[in-house]
Amino acid sequence: MANVTIVGFLRTNTGDQIPLRTDSVAEGTESTITTDANLTVVAQSVGNYKPGATVMSGEITAPNGVAYAYILRQGVVLAVIVPNVAGVSNKEAMLSSPVALRPGDEVRVMANTATNRMASLLVKTNQGTSRIFVGTPSGAGTTNLLDITDSNAIGDTLQGQTLTEACLLTVDGGKVVSSGGCWIRNASGQLAGAIPASNPTTVEPMWSSVNIPIALNFTATVVTNA
């Protein structure tokens, strides 16, 4: 694993842009991405740089691989940012929800190597909740995707809510046999919904519109054949 530079920007509802850059980010470690000191004088969190601004969209890129990005406030995922691998994107994406920035708000990113098999499920619900679930396949079998904040299954975290948007990132490609993406299964193991996968090293990940009610003991899983 290498230390890499993460760059990007966030765009506000007034059209202002917040430039982002952090050097020497360790791949495989979730890191805070600050403003670009070349343009903002000092590197600082997005909330400290532009408190009161409402962020609507953005672009975050890592050079080799990337699993997820989001805006964090006091331990809570406020909004998910769909990340990209450098050179494999053509437009900025809307955040899962607009965020009115407050001092202390941070952009967090998980950069990976190009071959890291971490699968990440980014979701938004009908109640405006944003969450990220991850798991790393190590061969043929079923990998449960768990919440990055508390390691709970999707049914424990989002019971009573309905997924309205989702995006699955994985480099496993043809190894994924769970309908080509992620299965959401109910407490009996029956299929409640499926979410297609994107390989961020070859194609720009995008939100999918879904309608998947979540109840207690539901799971999000990726099944691979190798």
Side-chain angles (χ1 to χ4, degrees):
M1 294 186 184
N3 289 335
V4 298
T5 296
I6 308 298
V7 298
F9 63 87
L10 297 177
R11 192 185 302 275
T12 72
N13 62 338
T14 61
D16 292 338
Q17 290 180 289
I18 303 173
L20 303 172
R21 174 175 174 171
T22 297
D23 299 316
S24 299
V25 173
E27 290 179 322
T29 302
E30 186 181 301
S31 304
T32 296
I33 308 303
T34 62
T35 61
D36 187 340
N38 295 300
L39 296 170
T40 63
V41 183
V42 296
Q44 55 191 302
S45 73
V46 292
N48 289 350
Y49 174 69
K50 215 168 186 63
T54 299
V55 175
M56 305 293 292
S57 61
E59 174 90 350
I60 302 286
T61 62
N64 299 315
V66 67
Y68 56 80
Y70 64 97
I71 296 177
L72 177 71
R73 176 181 295 162
Q74 297 180 342
V76 176
V77 176
L78 285 185
V80 173
I81 308 165
V82 178
N84 294 283
V85 171
V88 193
S89 64
N90 56 32
K91 62 180 292 186
E92 64 191 85
M94 299 299 292
L95 274 60
S96 58
S97 298
V99 173
L101 295 175
R102 297 180 188 174
D105 289 351
E106 298 180 344
V107 173
R108 300 281 291 176
V109 176
M110 173 64 86
N112 284 325
T113 65
T115 57
N116 187 295
R117 296 183 65 182
M118 177 181 287
S120 52
L121 174 63
L122 323 177
V123 303
K124 175 187 176 181
T125 77
N126 61 329
Q127 296 182 19
T129 302
S130 298
R131 285 291 184 271
I132 300 169
F133 301 86
V134 300
T136 304
S138 58
T142 299
T143 301
N144 291 313
L145 306 183
L146 304 178
D147 196 318
I148 63 169
T149 58
D150 55 21
S151 297
N152 282 336
I154 195 168
D156 296 322
T157 300
L158 297 177
Q159 59 176 304
Q161 302 187 51
T162 298
L163 303 188
T164 57
E165 291 186 279
C167 178
L168 178 70
L169 284 72
T170 174
V171 301
D172 272 347
K175 295 177 183 177
V176 178
V177 292
S178 42
S179 301
C182 169
W183 280 339
I184 307 296
R185 292 192 279 189
N186 64 21
S188 300
Q190 298 173 318
L191 185 65
I195 298 160
S198 295
N199 182 341
T201 66
T202 60
V203 66
E204 180 178 18
M206 300 179 66
W207 289 111
S208 294
S209 295
V210 297
N211 183 23
I212 307 174
I214 303 297
L216 186 63
N217 296 325
F218 274 39
T219 60
T221 58
V222 170
V223 182
T224 50
N225 62 9

